[in-house]
Amino acid sequence: MFKKKFMLSDKVLYIKDLGNCPPAYLNDPARRDFYEIVWLQNEDALHVPQHDFQTLKGDWIYLIPPYRVHQLNKAGKNGVLISFKQELLEGDLKEFLLDVFRMFNIQGEFSCLQVNEEGSNGLAAVLQLLKEEYSHDVINLIMMKAVLKVFLLKLIQLKEQHFTLQDINEKRVYEFMLLLEVNYKNKRTADFYASKLDISAKRLNQILKEKLDKTGVQLIHDRLILEAKRQIIHSENTIKEIGFNLHFKDQSYFSRFFKQHVGQTPQEFQNNVKEHVISHDNTLYT
């Protein structure tokens, strides 16, 4: 009997111990559509810890939004991977969906937090329920959605606790990033964000340079370029339509802006993506 081929596109949820995560998952093009929770348990962090209350080794949770693909083969093998599509959360309260969206998109690529023993124990209890539901031959989708929501709510709570341990300027960076995620298409000056944070644009830029080594305008431009790349790679829109979606006044201005930051025009970038897809048989292009 032939073993059924692994097809991530057939799933809305996928749970696997990191030590047994198959290459078929890591290389599946459909992976880009999933939110990923990577929970490393008693492992080294995948990045350099930035706060004095963090240690290198411990329980680290990485929250990776759709269209960003992390190299999980570089992660430790002790832990669990939880992947889910946004449609699994549809129909829930908008406030909850916004909290999830913010939690996964703090800095555009991924968000992470270190979890203490108490937090890990609380998450582990819910994870056990999630695994039990997932192991059934016929999954009760209503039950699965309910348990996943509890798990996400616990993560949101831990994320909020994480930021209470940081200094006021790190909280301002966090608040700036939340504002940026909502407003980057329309508001492209540091003055707007500074006014929302009740500080001067000069002070905001000082804080961002200290914490992220970039100014407000640089971060706004980074976010615009990230979205432009996402749409060029994954949408069916033309370059002109993408520029319009990002509120550029005309295609030539959008092309100049893109080339200034990427080193190639949107059309050149799109052509390179197509060549990459043909040669690598996937769309995981950065």
Side-chain angles (χ1 to χ4, degrees), residues 9-276:
S9 58
D10 296 337
K11 304 177 184 295
V12 293
L13 178 73
Y14 182 71
I15 302 175
K16 198 74 173 177
D17 288 340
L18 287 175
N20 298 318
C21 192
Y25 172 84
L26 300 177
N27 299 323
D28 197 315
R31 184 182 166 201
R32 67 178 184 268
D33 297 321
F34 284 72
Y35 287 82
E36 291 184 336
I37 301 170
V38 180
W39 182 2
L40 298 179
Q41 298 168 330
N42 194 30
E43 289 281 2
D44 288 344
L46 299 175
H47 70 301
V48 178
Q50 298 176 331
H51 311 292
D52 56 13
F53 58 84
Q54 295 174 327
T55 59
L56 178 62
K57 196 175 187 68
D59 275 28
W60 285 94
I61 293 181
Y62 289 83
L63 304 163
I64 306 167
Y67 301 101
R68 283 78 148 183
V69 178
H70 193 75
Q71 297 299 317
L72 295 182
N73 56 326
K74 296 179 181 178
K77 298 304 181 183
N78 294 318
V80 65
L81 166 72
I82 303 171
S83 301
F84 63 92
K85 284 187 176 178
Q86 183 168 324
E87 63 189 73
L88 201 56
L89 307 180
E90 289 175 357
D92 220 307
L93 292 174
K94 289 183 179 180
E95 290 79 4
F96 169 66
L97 295 177
L98 184 58
D99 282 340
V100 172
F101 177 75
R102 287 172 173 171
M103 179 174 66
F104 275 87
N105 286 274
I106 299 302
Q107 295 183 15
E109 293 299 330
F110 65 85
S111 180
C112 69
L113 65 155
Q114 188 171 28
V115 188
N116 60 23
E117 184 177 357
E118 180 183 359
S120 292
N121 290 340
L123 284 172
V126 183
L127 177 61
Q128 184 58 38
L129 291 175
L130 199 60
K131 284 184 172 181
E132 288 176 7
E133 289 298 322
Y134 185 75
S135 67
H136 294 161
D137 292 335
V138 179
I139 294 177
N140 183 328
L141 198 57
I142 295 176
M143 181 69 77
M144 182 63 73
K145 289 175 67 172
V147 180
L148 177 63
K149 181 176 181 179
V150 173
F151 192 84
L152 291 172
L153 284 170
K154 281 192 168 290
L155 282 178
I156 291 168
Q157 184 181 50
L158 289 170
K159 192 71 179 177
E160 291 172 350
Q161 292 172 359
H162 172 81
F163 281 103
T164 64
L165 297 172
Q166 299 181 19
D167 64 41
I168 184 63
N169 287 338
E170 286 173 338
K171 291 177 184 177
R172 282 171 173 162
V173 171
Y174 171 66
E175 291 167 353
F176 169 82
M177 288 300 183
L178 294 184
L179 286 169
L180 179 63
E181 196 62 38
V182 176
N183 297 285
Y184 71 91
K185 292 181 182 178
N186 299 306
K187 306 297 182 181
R188 303 186 183 181
T189 67
D191 292 298
F192 168 81
Y193 298 93
S195 66
K196 291 292 185 181
L197 298 174
D198 199 27
I199 57 177
S200 69
K202 180 180 180 180
R203 182 60 185 141
L204 174 60
N205 280 320
Q206 288 174 339
I207 293 169
L208 294 174
K209 282 290 288 183
E210 176 191 344
K211 300 297 183 181
L212 302 178
D213 199 29
K214 290 188 176 183
T215 65
V217 170
Q218 286 174 322
L219 290 165
I220 295 166
H221 288 175
D222 285 352
R223 187 63 186 88
L224 282 164
I225 290 297
L226 176 63
E227 184 60 26
K229 285 183 174 181
R230 285 177 60 185
Q231 291 196 29
I232 290 171
I233 293 173
H234 299 297
S235 78
E236 300 297 325
N237 294 331
T238 65
I239 300 298
K240 183 178 181 179
E241 289 170 334
I242 292 170
F244 180 78
N245 290 341
L246 295 176
H247 297 192
F248 285 87
K249 60 184 180 181
D250 56 54
Q251 183 177 345
S252 61
Y253 178 43
F254 172 57
S255 293
R256 289 196 303 273
F257 176 85
F258 191 93
K259 185 171 184 178
Q260 179 184 353
H261 290 85
V262 180
Q264 50 190 330
T265 66
Q267 190 64 59
E268 290 169 341
F269 178 79
Q270 187 176 61
N271 292 339
N272 287 338
V273 169
K274 290 178 180 178
E275 292 176 6
H276 176 89

Side-chain angles (χ1 to χ4, degrees), residues 272-282:
N272 287 338
V273 169
K274 290 178 180 178
E275 292 176 6
H276 176 89
V277 170
I278 293 171
S279 60
H280 293 80
D281 195 30
N282 69 55

